[in-house]
Amino acid sequence: MSEIQKKPVKIMETILRDAHQSLIATRMTTEQMLPIIDKMDKVGYHAVECWGGATFDASLRFLKEDPWERLRKLRDGFKNTKLQMLFRGQNILGYRPYADDVVEYFVQKSVANGIDIIRIFDCLNDLRNLQTAVTAANKENAHAQVALSYTLGDAYTLEYWTEKAKQIEQMGANSICIKDMAGLLLPYKATELVKALKETVKIPIDLHTHYTSGVASMTYMKAVEAGVDIIDTAMSPFALGTSQPATEVMVETFRGTEYDTGYDQNLLAEIADYFRPIRDEALDSGLLNPKNMGVDIKTLLYQVPGGMLSNLTSQLKEQHAEDKFYEVLEEVPRVRKDLGEPPLVTPSSQIVGTQAVFNVIMGERYKMVTKETKGILSGEYGATVKPFDPEVVKKCIGDKEPITCRPADLIDNELETLESEMAKYKEQDEDVLSYALFPQVATDFFKYREAQKTKVDAKMADTQNGAYPV
């Protein structure tokens, strides 16, 4: 038998970021991560995603941890593995567009503290919102990966995706990620899409999906056969459901084929054993909702990502209108169409979802309009692939002239102002960036950090749990 021509698929491990973000609301602590890093570093992963996304906000807000400190500790532990983060383009890790000087400084500091690969996306796929971050990553010699938010709709043809891919390559990106946040990419569609992209660009293609609709493992298999370079997976205790397919399963699937990763299953089993008690604890405490582990094929009908579904349920509960759930689900695609058919991912998913709730509860469409809906219609988030419904524009913003330039062009440099506002709390350069993204949450954290210094009595320290009584 002739020798198989080897082209091992690369694996990007999500357990330290997207997996716990998707399943347990980003509550894994740095202390829980550190003991297993040594073993994870031996696997041979293409990269480990461990920062960005919601980890920054959750660290400060719920865990009272400095996200920068986490990154430095992870960097110290991972001697052989590249570290990756998720970055929301001009919104960085926050929910509004920031001035270019803040974006550039954030990229610079992320790389200085240990990030190798920055995955940059925009909720509208408006590439103007990505250019500053890509240029900054190139300048710092980091790997700039641009993610296309994958979605369905008349406008999203193969030509749309290949055209975007060409522009991304020209922007100076080092690779492209197909970011399928709602699990909408079906296996045979993946074959088509990956082949088309591979014929269009020379840079590597990474595929990221979620198991929400139940097709993700099959989608990965077809994508790998079609030539995708990298797939994103999660260690089995935090895989499936609204997270990614399981790392060990994909490694086993390709064993003995030309795509064989060569990873050691015994080593992976030890890593899984480490994370299992953390998952069980999350189940017992109610942090991990068993509902998030099932398959929901409705995702494909309404294109609503898992996180957005739970948001809608809680909004309806607050309004005592749970009986309106299906009406809202049917309203979501209509609102999405009115607003230029954007992909549904943070923050566009929240904007469309909340507006759909209002439209149904008020009994009249756009009787009550959120400031974010007005923002999209005013061009404050960038350009959508399709035009807005003119009637809706008239009803929501009247004759206001929408902006057509890149939204950040209208924002003056803001680093100096931010520096002066938070000067009294500053202990490290990075603090100004924490403050820029989450002013209130960061200020609370800085006060907490200060209090910790003065009130810890070493004799009373609970060394068992690593917690200090204040």
Side-chain angles (χ1 to χ4, degrees), residues 149-215:
S149 301
Y150 181 77
T151 188
L152 306 172
D154 314 339
Y156 300 98
T157 57
L158 268 186
E159 288 70 44
Y160 170 87
W161 299 116
T162 52
E163 203 38 58
K164 286 277 180 208
K166 260 186 230 153
Q167 293 168 344
I168 288 169
E169 190 173 45
Q170 285 157 6
M171 276 171 88
N174 305 97
S175 63
I176 292 176
C177 170
I178 303 161
K179 179 178 164 62
D180 178 22
M181 54 281 164
L184 300 174
L185 182 59
L186 297 171
Y188 289 101
K189 286 286 176 214
T191 304
E192 244 176 56
L193 180 58
V194 170
K195 280 191 167 149
L197 291 177
K198 291 300 283 182
E199 281 162 17
T200 308
V201 296
K202 300 217 170 18
I203 54 180
I205 310 288
D206 184 332
L207 176 56
H208 171 92
T209 187
H210 290 252
Y211 211 85
T212 325
S213 61
V215 300

Side-chain angles (χ1 to χ4, degrees), residues 288-309:
L288 174 56
N289 181 343
K291 272 189 184 149
N292 292 346
M293 300 306 291
V295 160
D296 189 355
I297 199 69
K298 284 205 185 70
T299 312
L300 299 173
L301 290 178
Y302 304 114
Q303 294 199 39
V304 174
M308 185 176 166
L309 271 180

Side-chain angles (χ1 to χ4, degrees), residues 102-165:
V102 182
V103 175
E104 286 158 2
Y105 194 46
F106 201 99
V107 168
Q108 188 191 329
K109 284 297 178 191
S110 303
V111 176
N113 281 281
I115 288 294
D116 302 291
I117 301 171
I118 305 182
R119 174 177 292 172
I120 310 161
F121 79 98
D122 175 66
C123 73
L124 303 180
N125 289 330
D126 183 344
L127 302 185
R128 299 173 306 171
N129 293 336
L130 304 177
Q131 186 66 65
T132 302
V134 171
T135 307
N138 291 158
K139 189 178 160 201
E140 300 301 322
N141 292 322
H143 178 111
Q145 180 180 84
V146 169
L148 280 169
S149 301
Y150 181 77
T151 188
L152 306 172
D154 314 339
Y156 300 98
T157 57
L158 268 186
E159 288 70 44
Y160 170 87
W161 299 116
T162 52
E163 203 38 58
K164 286 277 180 208

Side-chain angles (χ1 to χ4, degrees), residues 90 97-101 103 126 128-129 131-132 379-382 403-414:
Q90 211 67 30
Y98 290 87
D100 287 337
D101 64 340
V103 175
D126 183 344
R128 299 173 306 171
N129 293 336
Q131 186 66 65
T132 302
E380 286 162 27
Y381 291 84
I403 64 167
T404 51
C405 65
R406 180 184 74 119
D409 288 342
L410 304 173
I411 308 172
D412 291 331
N413 279 350
E414 40 185 348

